[in-house]
């Protein structure tokens, strides 16, 4: 492909890298696409860069990319979600909760936002709301949640591992 059309191939590669959680590779490609000026500037491109940066532990870079995405498209739910998660990581629970809730108002099927809110609700003692979020996630994404999430929920609702997987499943359905 001509040099100025390379973005047509690089963008799907960056998106695939993000999906595979190859965050360093995704960051490199997203940054190159943005810097080249050849790719159409979209809020999604910046929001995806923000997600990759957040996952890589680069919170300030994640926030900057998410802010850029929101400057282009103020209701981008992925950018709002990433800012909320970054706020939580930095210890700003109130701002994080507000941003996560705003993201879910725009798109209620953002798993990371639902999980973060469910864990906060559980920590605050609102077990029923927390379980309801987890039930919704399981219905939307059967089999997609890792075993680790199931262990975390079992430990949260059945401290000391008193429950078997079957008992947890029965409790959740």
């Amino acid at each position: 492909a001509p040099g100025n059309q390379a973005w047509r191939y690089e963008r799907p590669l960056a998106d695939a890298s993000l999906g595979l959680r190859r965050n360093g590779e995704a960051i490199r490609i997203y940054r190159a696409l943005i810097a080249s000026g050849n790719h159409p500037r979209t809020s999604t491109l910046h929001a995806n860069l923000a997600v990759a940066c957040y996952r890589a532990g680069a919170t300030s870079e994640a926030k900057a990319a998410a802010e850029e995405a929101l400057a282009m498209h103020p209701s981008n739910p992925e950018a709002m979600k990433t800012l909320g998660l970054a706020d939580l990581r930095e210890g700003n629970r109130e701002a994080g909760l507000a941003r996560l809730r705003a993201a879910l108002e725009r798109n209620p099927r953002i798993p990371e936002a639902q999980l973060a809110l469910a864990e906060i609700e559980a920590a605050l003692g609102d077990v029923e709301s927390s379980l309801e979020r987890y039930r919704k996630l399981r219905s939307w994404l059967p089999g997609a949640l890792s075993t680790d999430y199931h262990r975390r929920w079992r430990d949260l609702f059945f401290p000391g591992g008193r429950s078997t997987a079957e008992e947890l499943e029965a409790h959740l359905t």
Side-chain angles (χ1 to χ4, degrees):
N4 65 353
Q5 296 295 308
W7 65 267
R8 293 184 187 274
Y9 304 99
E10 292 169 349
R11 171 66 189 270
L13 181 59
D15 294 344
S17 296
L18 182 65
L20 293 169
R21 294 188 177 266
R22 296 178 68 172
N23 301 311
E25 185 175 328
I27 291 167
R28 181 185 56 76
I29 298 169
Y30 286 128
R31 284 182 181 154
L33 286 168
I34 292 167
S36 74
N38 293 326
H39 185 279
R41 286 178 43 97
T42 67
S43 66
T44 303
L45 188 70
H46 291 274
N48 287 354
L49 173 61
V51 170
C53 289
Y54 177 81
R55 288 179 182 168
T59 306
S60 62
E61 292 176 49
K63 289 176 82 169
E67 293 287 357
E68 183 68 26
L70 289 172
M72 292 178 195
H73 188 263
S75 63
N76 184 309
E78 285 294 322
M80 188 66 67
K81 174 228 26 175
T82 302
L83 283 172
L85 292 174
D87 286 335
L88 292 175
R89 182 181 279 171
E90 293 177 337
N92 190 346
R93 184 163 54 185
E94 292 309 312
L97 286 171
R99 286 179 167 164
L100 290 173
R101 288 180 178 133
L104 290 172
E105 284 176 16
R106 291 164 177 84
N107 179 0
R109 291 189 175 219
I110 301 175
E112 299 94 337
Q114 290 286 0
L115 284 169
L117 284 176
E119 289 182 1
I120 291 167
E121 288 166 346
L124 294 174
D126 188 355
V127 175
E128 285 306 313
S129 294
S130 181
L131 273 173
E132 183 57 31
R133 282 188 195 282
Y134 190 62
R135 283 185 190 108
K136 285 180 188 176
L137 276 171
R138 293 190 63 232
S139 71
W140 298 335
L141 305 167
L145 295 178
S146 72
T147 304
D148 180 56
Y149 283 116
H150 296 296
R151 270 191 226 107
R152 287 165 58 197
W153 285 89
R154 182 197 65 210
D155 293 346
L156 182 63
F157 296 111
F158 300 100
R162 295 187 327 258
S163 170
T164 66
E166 292 81 18
E167 289 170 329
L168 178 61
E169 183 69 28
H171 184 70
L172 292 171
T173 55

